[in-house]
Amino acid sequence: MSRSEYYCDGRLVKEIDQINMGGAATNFTDHYVDGRHRWLLDGEEVTPADAEAFRATWEPEHAG
């Protein structure tokens, strides 16, 4: 399972793998925690540093 977080009008996407930790400890109910993630900028994978740099530039230009 995965979930996505969207930034910068959807241009920057953080895709996060979700891991189900449910079992006897949770009475067999689903309990998801974040696993690995990746960043996409305009559909292309970028490094976390590139994602942060884009976001730091984009947000001030479009605030307001």
Side-chain angles (χ1 to χ4, degrees):
M1 177 177 213
S2 65
R3 67 180 173 87
S4 299
E5 296 176 359
Y6 299 90
Y7 304 93
C8 307
D9 286 340
R11 291 188 62 196
L12 185 63
V13 180
K14 183 179 183 181
E15 291 185 345
I16 306 160
D17 290 334
Q18 297 279 278
I19 301 166
N20 188 351
M21 301 298 288
T26 62
N27 201 23
F28 297 98
T29 58
D30 291 335
H31 176 73
Y32 290 94
V33 297
D34 289 348
R36 286 188 268 173
H37 68 273
R38 69 181 186 148
W39 288 96
L40 303 172
L41 177 59
D42 296 330
E44 299 291 325
E45 190 166 355
V46 295
T47 66
D50 289 339
E52 181 60 33
F54 175 79
R55 189 173 174 191
T57 303
W58 190 92
E59 288 179 343
E61 292 177 357
H62 295 86

